């Protein structure tokens, strides 16, 4: 079926997001399917059951309909899509996922998939090494939400009766999961750069009701990096636990080197001394959705997960992943996808780090372009690869209206010129705190936000900026009733 058989030493690069790239992926996939098929055939033939037989024409027709429906998407793969935290997986992840998915192992128990459970332990160890954990207990999860839930569950078990503090800009999941766990949670105000206000945190810790502090290295909105090192020092003084939500920003550890195109070192270096950390390989780790991870520095927390099950855990005395997680069934394919990706793009500054650095450089370049323009104003300096900015206007109502118009107008351009950004809601105090003198004629307004998480965006930045400026300076629609339809 494959026109060319991939050779182990083939030096040709695998291309992404192009027809040639897809042809290579198709080739490698055909090769992988052949390899799985040959393993299966060792067990002898399987007679197909008529109940599962479908006419090829019906499948083709339904597939055609699926593909028509899939056109109703935003072009997440394209460098001109800088809206949300979305991008397609790396070809290695696709090949790894599909190969394992044909077997469909379940990483709940070693009985459900010994190979992918072993792969999961390896990738989790690689993530732990990236964060500098000397020892660890951890596993993959379906998402950052579940990973954070597990970390907060352990926080509750180790600090019973105590609450959880997170910054006001932390992901909303923390408040929600605390209420699910029956734990009090409190939002600590943010400082002028969107990070946790340390003075406010210390006042809270002094009162003594807080058992765990959640530090975020890369808030979902602004990409702000909480000063983990300083939070940790405070928490050590007051006997509180520190959990780091690095769901979005965790992989920036690879380029946290204080260089011009890197990110601040101290907060990421401090993660090694925190109690737990969550990272989402399905965000910056080039994975398809369904891949988060939680890591604990103390393997002893396994005691909080202990349970027995009469219908699992029978093929091995070794620790089963289901014994240390709240989730039961999980895709073994997700572990295979991440494992294969990290084999070719390892967790090093020049491996996966190079992709993050390109996005970081793009963000800094665009921040300078915005800073130098009359039409756009930078909301705040970016800590990672998320840019926040707004149309330069006198009133909040005008900023809001123009941001909303730019968002829609960019998406409505012909596909080959279209431009996809996102909006972010801020209040008058957040604008004033950052020194933006705009008339607060309404309490909130939308500003613009761009997530530059694809390395390919680096070449596109000048064009993106020009496109944004021209959308902002386009004639404003008439103020009322003049909706040009
Ligand atoms: C995305 C995100 C989450 C939630 O993770 P999911 O994988 O979407 O469930 C939590 N915290 C932060 C900081 C995030 O960016």
């Amino acid at each position: 079926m494959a026109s060319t058989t991939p050779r182990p030493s083939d030096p040709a690069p695998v291309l992404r997001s192009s027809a040639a790239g897809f042809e290579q992926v198709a080739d490698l996939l055909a090769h992988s399917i052949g390899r799985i098929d040959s393993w299966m055939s060792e067990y002898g033939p399987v007679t197909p059951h008529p109940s599962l037989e479908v006419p090829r024409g019906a499948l083709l027709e339904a597939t055609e309909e699926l593909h028509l429906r899939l056109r109703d998407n935003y072009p997440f793969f394209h460098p001109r899509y800088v809206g949300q935290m979305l991008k397609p997986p790396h070809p290695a992840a696709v090949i790894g996922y599909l190969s394992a998915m044909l077997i469909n192992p379940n990483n709940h128990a070693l009985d459900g998939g010994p190979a992918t459970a072993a792969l999961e332990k390896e990738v989790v160890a690689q993530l732990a090494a990236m964060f500098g954990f000397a020892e660890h207990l951890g596993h993959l999860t379906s998402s950052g939400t579940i990973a954070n839930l597990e970390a907060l569950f352990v926080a509750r078990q180790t600090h019973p009766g105590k609450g959880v503090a997170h910054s006001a800009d932390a992901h909303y999941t923390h408040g929600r999961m605390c209420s699910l766990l029956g734990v009090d949670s409190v939002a600590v105000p943010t400082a002028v750069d969107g990070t946790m206000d340390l003075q406010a945190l210390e006042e809270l810790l002094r009162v003594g009701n807080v058992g765990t502090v959640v530090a975020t290295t890369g808030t979902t909105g602004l990409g702000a990096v909480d000063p983990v090192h300083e939070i940790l020092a405070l928490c050590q003084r007051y006997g509180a636990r520190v959990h780091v939500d690095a769901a979005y920003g965790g992989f920036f550890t690879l380029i946290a080197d204080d260089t011009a195109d890197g990110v601040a070192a101290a907060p990421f270096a401090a993660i090694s001394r925190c109690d737990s950390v969550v990272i989402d390989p399905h965000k910056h780790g080039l994975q398809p959705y369904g891949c988060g991870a939680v890591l604990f520095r103390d393997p002893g927390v396994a005691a909080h997960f202990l349970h027995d099950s009469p219908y699992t855990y029978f093929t091995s005395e070794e620790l089963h992943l289901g014994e240390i997680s709240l989730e039961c069934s999980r895709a073994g394919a997700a572990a295979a996808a991440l494992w294969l990706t990290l084999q070719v793009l390892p967790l090093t500054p020049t491996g996966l780090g190079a992709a993050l650095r390109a996005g970081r450089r793009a963000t800094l370049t665009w921040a300078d372009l915005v800073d130098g323009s009359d039409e756009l104003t930078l909301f705040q300096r970016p800590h990672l690869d998320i840019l926040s900015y707004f149309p330069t206007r006198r009133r909040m109502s005008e900023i809001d209206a123009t941001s909303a118009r730019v968002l829609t107008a960019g998406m409505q351009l012909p596909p080959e010129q279209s431009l996809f950004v996102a909006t972010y809601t801020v209040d008058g105090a957040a604008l004033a705190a950052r020194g933006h003198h705009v008339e607060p004629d309404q309490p909130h307004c939308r500003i613009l936000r761009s997530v530059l998480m694809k390395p390919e965006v680096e070449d596109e930045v000048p064009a993106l900026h020009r496109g944004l400026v021209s959308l902002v300076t386009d004639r404003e629609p008439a103020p009322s009733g003049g909706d040009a339809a």
Side-chain angles (χ1 to χ4, degrees), residues 203-289:
E203 279 161 32
L204 259 173
L205 287 169
R206 202 178 289 130
V207 176
N209 297 329
V210 172
T212 299
V213 175
V214 177
T216 305
T217 51
T219 56
T220 316
L222 298 171
V225 177
D226 282 343
V228 181
H229 50 303
E230 292 173 90
I231 290 172
L232 184 66
L234 279 176
C235 288
Q236 283 170 340
R237 196 172 321 145
Y238 291 95
R241 186 180 175 83
V242 182
H243 166 61
V244 182
D245 183 358
Y248 182 72
F251 289 104
F252 280 93
T253 303
L254 300 171
I255 62 161
D257 56 7
D258 286 335
T259 59
D261 59 1
V263 303
F268 290 93
I271 296 175
S272 67
R273 292 178 287 128
C274 295
D275 296 285
S276 53
V277 60
V278 157
I279 182 167
D280 261 353
H282 69 203
K283 282 199 182 132
H284 253 302
L286 304 168
Q287 299 307 296
Y289 284 113

Side-chain angles (χ1 to χ4, degrees), residues 37-354:
D37 184 53
S38 84
W39 171 72
M40 288 176 169
S41 61
E42 289 171 24
Y43 289 83
V46 179
T47 314
H49 195 273
S51 65
L52 300 179
E53 264 170 29
V54 293
R56 183 181 150 84
L59 179 56
L60 269 177
E61 210 173 293
T63 306
E64 199 42 44
E65 185 181 343
L66 173 68
H67 284 285
L68 282 174
R69 295 182 66 164
L70 285 177
R71 295 181 61 84
D72 182 21
N73 257 308
Y74 303 104
F76 309 126
F77 66 94
H78 202 281
R80 278 198 320 275
Y81 178 90
V82 286
Q84 304 287 0
M85 296 167 168
L86 287 153
K87 60 178 177 181
H90 191 273
V94 175
I95 291 158
Y97 200 99
L98 221 111
S99 299
M101 193 188 73
L102 292 172
I103 303 169
N104 206 21
N106 182 341
N107 272 16
H108 173 225
L110 288 165
D111 316 275
T116 46
L119 295 176
E120 176 165 337
K121 287 177 187 171
E122 284 182 38
V123 294
V124 166
Q126 289 168 35
L127 292 171
M130 176 179 76
F131 288 124
F133 280 16
E135 284 188 295
H136 70 275
L137 182 85
H139 58 88
L140 299 180
T141 60
S142 298
S143 67
T145 301
I146 298 298
N148 276 306
L149 171 64
E150 296 209 7
L152 294 176
F153 161 72
V154 169
R156 185 190 74 180
Q157 301 311 95
T158 55
H159 291 67
K162 295 286 178 96
V164 168
H166 53 77
S167 102
D169 276 9
H171 198 281
Y172 66 78
T173 191
H174 297 289
R176 212 178 188 191
M177 291 302 156
C178 280
S179 99
L180 190 71
L181 290 165
V183 171
D184 287 336
S185 71
V186 51
V188 184
T190 51
V192 295
D193 62 350
T195 63
M196 187 182 282
D197 184 311
L198 296 177
Q199 219 173 327
L201 174 64
E202 180 156 20
E203 279 161 32
L204 259 173
L205 287 169
R206 202 178 289 130
V207 176
N209 297 329
V210 172
T212 299
V213 175
V214 177
T216 305
T217 51
T219 56
T220 316
L222 298 171
V225 177
D226 282 343
V228 181
H229 50 303
E230 292 173 90
I231 290 172
L232 184 66
L234 279 176
C235 288
Q236 283 170 340
R237 196 172 321 145
Y238 291 95
R241 186 180 175 83
V242 182
H243 166 61
V244 182
D245 183 358
Y248 182 72
F251 289 104
F252 280 93
T253 303
L254 300 171
I255 62 161
D257 56 7
D258 286 335
T259 59
D261 59 1
V263 303
F268 290 93
I271 296 175
S272 67
R273 292 178 287 128
C274 295
D275 296 285
S276 53
V277 60
V278 157
I279 182 167
D280 261 353
H282 69 203
K283 282 199 182 132
H284 253 302
L286 304 168
Q287 299 307 296
Y289 284 113
C291 194
V294 61
L295 304 169
F296 298 94
R297 193 166 52 94
D298 172 14
V301 301
H304 300 297
F305 290 94
L306 276 189
H307 66 285
D308 204 358
S309 159
Y311 36 76
T312 35
Y313 316 140
F314 49 82
T315 54
S316 167
E317 287 299 309
E318 237 186 279
L319 186 70
H320 297 250
L321 289 161
E323 292 179 284
I324 52 159
S325 88
L326 296 181
E327 282 179 281
C328 298
S329 297
R330 275 187 307 105
L338 183 56
W339 185 89
L340 192 60
T341 306
L342 298 186
Q343 288 298 110
V344 290
L345 285 172
L347 296 176
T348 59
T350 51
L352 183 61

